[in-house]
Tab-separated table of all heavy atoms in Angstrom:
chain	number	residue	atom	x	y	z
A	26	ALA	N	55.906	168.856	38.937
A	26	ALA	CA	54.959	169.333	37.925
A	26	ALA	C	53.555	169.213	38.499
A	26	ALA	O	53.209	168.201	39.112
A	26	ALA	CB	55.089	168.506	36.652
A	27	VAL	N	52.750	170.269	38.288
A	27	VAL	CA	51.396	170.306	38.845
A	27	VAL	C	50.421	170.766	37.765
A	27	VAL	O	50.708	171.680	37.005
A	27	VAL	CB	51.337	171.275	40.056
A	27	VAL	CG1	49.925	171.362	40.615
A	27	VAL	CG2	52.319	170.861	41.135
A	28	GLY	N	49.255	170.120	37.725
A	28	GLY	CA	48.179	170.524	36.836
A	28	GLY	C	48.305	169.994	35.427
A	28	GLY	O	49.228	170.346	34.719
A	29	ASN	N	47.388	169.118	35.045
A	29	ASN	CA	47.339	168.567	33.684
A	29	ASN	C	48.698	168.048	33.219
A	29	ASN	O	49.131	168.329	32.103
A	29	ASN	CB	46.818	169.617	32.704
A	29	ASN	CG	45.441	170.094	33.066
A	29	ASN	OD1	44.523	169.288	33.213
A	29	ASN	ND2	45.292	171.390	33.246
A	30	VAL	N	49.352	167.293	34.071
A	30	VAL	CA	50.695	166.801	33.773
A	30	VAL	C	50.617	165.597	32.842
A	30	VAL	O	49.839	164.671	33.066
A	30	VAL	CB	51.441	166.401	35.062
A	30	VAL	CG1	52.863	165.958	34.744
A	30	VAL	CG2	51.435	167.527	36.074
A	31	ARG	N	51.424	165.636	31.792
A	31	ARG	CA	51.574	164.503	30.880
A	31	ARG	C	53.040	164.340	30.558
A	31	ARG	O	53.715	165.314	30.241
A	31	ARG	CB	50.770	164.727	29.597
A	31	ARG	CG	49.266	164.646	29.837
A	31	ARG	CD	48.488	165.065	28.644
A	31	ARG	NE	48.646	166.520	28.517
A	31	ARG	CZ	48.506	167.190	27.397
A	31	ARG	NH1	48.229	166.583	26.285
A	31	ARG	NH2	48.659	168.492	27.365
A	32	ILE	N	53.491	163.107	30.636
A	32	ILE	CA	54.882	162.789	30.290
A	32	ILE	C	54.860	161.713	29.218
A	32	ILE	O	54.151	160.714	29.342
A	32	ILE	CB	55.667	162.240	31.499
A	32	ILE	CG1	55.758	163.271	32.599
A	32	ILE	CG2	57.058	161.789	31.065
A	32	ILE	CD1	56.420	162.753	33.855
A	33	LYS	N	55.640	161.932	28.175
A	33	LYS	CA	55.858	160.881	27.175
A	33	LYS	C	57.282	160.409	27.384
A	33	LYS	O	58.228	161.197	27.332
A	33	LYS	CB	55.663	161.419	25.758
A	33	LYS	CG	55.838	160.346	24.703
A	33	LYS	CD	55.559	160.888	23.317
A	33	LYS	CE	55.807	159.827	22.277
A	33	LYS	NZ	55.657	160.367	20.928
A	34	ASP	N	57.438	159.107	27.669
A	34	ASP	CA	58.774	158.581	27.923
A	34	ASP	C	59.409	158.072	26.629
A	34	ASP	O	58.750	158.003	25.592
A	34	ASP	CB	58.763	157.535	29.047
A	34	ASP	CG	58.183	156.187	28.663
A	34	ASP	OD1	57.989	155.902	27.459
A	34	ASP	OD2	57.936	155.381	29.580
A	35	PRO	N	60.691	157.725	26.663
A	35	PRO	CA	61.381	157.285	25.438
A	35	PRO	C	60.758	156.062	24.774
A	35	PRO	O	60.907	155.863	23.572
A	35	PRO	CB	62.802	156.980	25.919
A	35	PRO	CG	62.973	157.819	27.134
A	35	PRO	CD	61.620	157.866	27.787
A	36	ASP	N	60.032	155.222	25.537
A	36	ASP	CA	59.396	154.036	24.970
A	36	ASP	C	58.047	154.342	24.336
A	36	ASP	O	57.387	153.455	23.803
A	36	ASP	CB	59.213	152.967	26.049
A	36	ASP	CG	60.536	152.436	26.574
A	36	ASP	OD1	61.526	152.444	25.810
A	36	ASP	OD2	60.575	152.025	27.746
A	37	GLY	N	57.576	155.601	24.443
A	37	GLY	CA	56.309	155.985	23.850
A	37	GLY	C	55.127	155.936	24.805
A	37	GLY	O	54.009	156.241	24.418
A	38	ALA	N	55.346	155.537	26.059
A	38	ALA	CA	54.257	155.507	27.041
A	38	ALA	C	53.915	156.935	27.452
A	38	ALA	O	54.784	157.807	27.524
A	38	ALA	CB	54.668	154.702	28.272
A	39	VAL	N	52.637	157.176	27.729
A	39	VAL	CA	52.167	158.478	28.174
A	39	VAL	C	51.608	158.325	29.582
A	39	VAL	O	50.725	157.498	29.826
A	39	VAL	CB	51.082	159.045	27.240
A	39	VAL	CG1	50.561	160.376	27.769
A	39	VAL	CG2	51.634	159.215	25.828
A	40	ILE	N	52.135	159.101	30.500
A	40	ILE	CA	51.688	159.097	31.891
A	40	ILE	C	50.966	160.409	32.135
A	40	ILE	O	51.482	161.476	31.817
A	40	ILE	CB	52.885	158.973	32.856
A	40	ILE	CG1	53.680	157.704	32.556
A	40	ILE	CG2	52.412	159.010	34.305
A	40	ILE	CD1	55.056	157.675	33.188
A	41	SER	N	49.758	160.335	32.704
A	41	SER	CA	48.969	161.528	33.006
A	41	SER	C	48.684	161.562	34.501
A	41	SER	O	48.416	160.532	35.119
A	41	SER	CB	47.636	161.497	32.259
A	41	SER	OG	47.844	161.396	30.881
A	42	SER	N	48.722	162.768	35.072
A	42	SER	CA	48.446	162.949	36.489
A	42	SER	C	48.214	164.426	36.752
A	42	SER	O	48.359	165.256	35.850
A	42	SER	CB	49.634	162.444	37.322
A	42	SER	OG	49.380	162.600	38.702
A	43	ASP	N	47.886	164.767	37.983
A	43	ASP	CA	47.786	166.171	38.361
A	43	ASP	C	48.995	166.630	39.158
A	43	ASP	O	49.188	167.820	39.362
A	43	ASP	CB	46.507	166.428	39.173
A	43	ASP	CG	45.284	166.493	38.278
A	43	ASP	OD1	45.416	166.957	37.131
A	43	ASP	OD2	44.210	166.069	38.723
A	44	HIS	N	49.824	165.672	39.638
A	44	HIS	CA	50.984	166.028	40.456
A	44	HIS	C	52.061	164.956	40.330
A	44	HIS	O	51.802	163.793	40.606
A	44	HIS	CB	50.556	166.166	41.922
A	44	HIS	CG	51.621	166.707	42.797
A	44	HIS	ND1	52.555	165.909	43.404
A	44	HIS	CD2	51.905	167.981	43.158
A	44	HIS	CE1	53.374	166.668	44.116
A	44	HIS	NE2	52.999	167.932	43.985
A	45	ILE	N	53.236	165.371	39.885
A	45	ILE	CA	54.358	164.445	39.715
A	45	ILE	C	55.616	165.106	40.263
A	45	ILE	O	55.873	166.277	40.001
A	45	ILE	CB	54.588	164.103	38.216
A	45	ILE	CG1	53.380	163.370	37.639
A	45	ILE	CG2	55.849	163.290	38.020
A	45	ILE	CD1	53.473	163.081	36.145
A	46	THR	N	56.404	164.337	41.009
A	46	THR	CA	57.728	164.790	41.446
A	46	THR	C	58.746	163.812	40.889
A	46	THR	O	58.618	162.600	41.085
A	46	THR	CB	57.822	164.849	42.988
A	46	THR	OG1	56.829	165.757	43.468
A	46	THR	CG2	59.196	165.321	43.432
A	47	LEU	N	59.745	164.344	40.179
A	47	LEU	CA	60.767	163.515	39.533
A	47	LEU	C	62.158	163.995	39.896
A	47	LEU	O	62.356	165.181	40.176
A	47	LEU	CB	60.637	163.611	38.001
A	47	LEU	CG	59.351	163.148	37.364
A	47	LEU	CD1	59.299	163.612	35.922
A	47	LEU	CD2	59.250	161.645	37.449
A	48	THR	N	63.124	163.091	39.826
A	48	THR	CA	64.511	163.525	39.889
A	48	THR	C	64.800	164.277	38.610
A	48	THR	O	64.118	164.084	37.592
A	48	THR	CB	65.463	162.321	40.035
A	48	THR	OG1	65.246	161.416	38.948
A	48	THR	CG2	65.256	161.595	41.357
A	49	ASP	N	65.800	165.134	38.620
A	49	ASP	CA	66.043	165.972	37.442
A	49	ASP	C	66.526	165.195	36.216
A	49	ASP	O	66.540	165.719	35.123
A	49	ASP	CB	66.978	167.141	37.762
A	49	ASP	CG	68.360	166.705	38.206
A	49	ASP	OD1	68.615	165.483	38.309
A	49	ASP	OD2	69.183	167.593	38.465
A	50	ASP	N	66.873	163.907	36.388
A	50	ASP	CA	67.236	163.082	35.234
A	50	ASP	C	66.078	162.172	34.791
A	50	ASP	O	66.255	161.315	33.941
A	50	ASP	CB	68.490	162.258	35.521
A	50	ASP	CG	68.305	161.261	36.659
A	50	ASP	OD1	67.193	161.177	37.242
A	50	ASP	OD2	69.282	160.562	36.985
A	51	PHE	N	64.906	162.325	35.422
A	51	PHE	CA	63.685	161.588	35.117
A	51	PHE	C	63.787	160.099	35.455
A	51	PHE	O	62.920	159.324	35.102
A	51	PHE	CB	63.281	161.738	33.639
A	51	PHE	CG	62.643	163.051	33.297
A	51	PHE	CD1	63.283	164.251	33.542
A	51	PHE	CD2	61.392	163.093	32.705
A	51	PHE	CE1	62.711	165.461	33.216
A	51	PHE	CE2	60.804	164.305	32.373
A	51	PHE	CZ	61.457	165.499	32.629
A	52	ARG	N	64.824	159.659	36.155
A	52	ARG	CA	65.009	158.236	36.442
A	52	ARG	C	64.271	157.776	37.697
A	52	ARG	O	64.056	156.591	37.893
A	52	ARG	CB	66.486	157.894	36.546
A	52	ARG	CG	67.204	158.061	35.212
A	52	ARG	CD	68.667	157.702	35.283
A	52	ARG	NE	68.970	156.434	35.893
A	52	ARG	CZ	68.878	155.237	35.296
A	52	ARG	NH1	68.472	155.165	34.055
A	52	ARG	NH2	69.194	154.145	35.945
A	53	GLY	N	63.899	158.682	38.559
A	53	GLY	CA	63.182	158.322	39.777
A	53	GLY	C	62.087	159.326	40.028
A	53	GLY	O	62.097	160.424	39.475
A	54	GLY	N	61.127	158.946	40.873
A	54	GLY	CA	60.093	159.914	41.187
A	54	GLY	C	58.870	159.313	41.818
A	54	GLY	O	58.793	158.106	42.062
A	55	PHE	N	57.892	160.188	42.095
A	55	PHE	CA	56.631	159.811	42.721
A	55	PHE	C	55.496	160.487	41.963
A	55	PHE	O	55.593	161.664	41.623
A	55	PHE	CB	56.602	160.249	44.189
A	55	PHE	CG	55.298	159.958	44.864
A	55	PHE	CD1	55.017	158.675	45.310
A	55	PHE	CD2	54.345	160.940	45.028
A	55	PHE	CE1	53.800	158.384	45.922
A	55	PHE	CE2	53.120	160.664	45.633
A	55	PHE	CZ	52.854	159.382	46.087
A	56	ILE	N	54.433	159.733	41.725
A	56	ILE	CA	53.281	160.254	40.989
A	56	ILE	C	52.015	159.934	41.777
A	56	ILE	O	51.830	158.802	42.220
A	56	ILE	CB	53.181	159.622	39.582
A	56	ILE	CG1	54.464	159.845	38.799
A	56	ILE	CG2	51.980	160.163	38.834
A	56	ILE	CD1	54.522	159.116	37.480
A	57	GLU	N	51.146	160.926	41.922
A	57	GLU	CA	49.852	160.723	42.582
A	57	GLU	C	48.768	160.529	41.530
A	57	GLU	O	48.769	161.205	40.506
A	57	GLU	CB	49.495	161.948	43.423
A	57	GLU	CG	50.432	162.212	44.571
A	57	GLU	CD	50.090	163.504	45.293
A	57	GLU	OE1	48.991	164.058	45.079
A	57	GLU	OE2	50.936	163.955	46.068
A	58	THR	N	47.839	159.628	41.789
A	58	THR	CA	46.683	159.366	40.933
A	58	THR	C	47.066	159.428	39.454
A	58	THR	O	46.862	160.424	38.786
A	58	THR	CB	45.534	160.360	41.213
A	58	THR	OG1	45.361	160.467	42.616
A	58	THR	CG2	44.235	159.880	40.599
A	59	LEU	N	47.632	158.349	38.982
A	59	LEU	CA	48.178	158.352	37.628
A	59	LEU	C	47.414	157.465	36.671
A	59	LEU	O	46.713	156.546	37.078
A	59	LEU	CB	49.636	157.923	37.655
A	59	LEU	CG	49.896	156.457	38.033
A	59	LEU	CD1	50.245	155.663	36.806
A	59	LEU	CD2	50.990	156.394	39.052
A	60	ARG	N	47.583	157.785	35.401
A	60	ARG	CA	47.048	157.011	34.300
A	60	ARG	C	48.193	156.822	33.312
A	60	ARG	O	48.789	157.791	32.884
A	60	ARG	CB	45.889	157.751	33.643
A	60	ARG	CG	44.745	158.004	34.604
A	60	ARG	CD	43.763	159.067	34.159
A	60	ARG	NE	44.293	160.392	33.866
A	60	ARG	CZ	44.565	161.318	34.783
A	60	ARG	NH1	44.396	161.072	36.062
A	60	ARG	NH2	45.010	162.498	34.438
C-alpha cells in the first residue's frame, strides 16, 4: 500500500504511513516511517 496509508487493526490501533508491505493475511510485514 502506498500513499496516505492507514490501517485499523482488530484491537482498534491505527497505523499511518506512506508505504506498507504486508503478507496477504496481515500477520507479517514492513512499514516505513510509521505512526
Side-chain angles (χ1 to χ4, degrees):
V27 178
N29 301 305
V30 183
R31 290 171 289 156
I32 297 175
K33 182 177 177 185
D34 74 13
D36 295 331
V39 177
I40 302 165
S41 302
S42 181
D43 282 327
H44 188 272
I45 296 176
T46 300
L47 299 167
T48 57
D49 62 358
D50 63 1
F51 283 57
R52 294 181 50 80
F55 177 79
I56 304 173
E57 296 175 14
T58 314
L59 68 104
R60 299 163 303 279

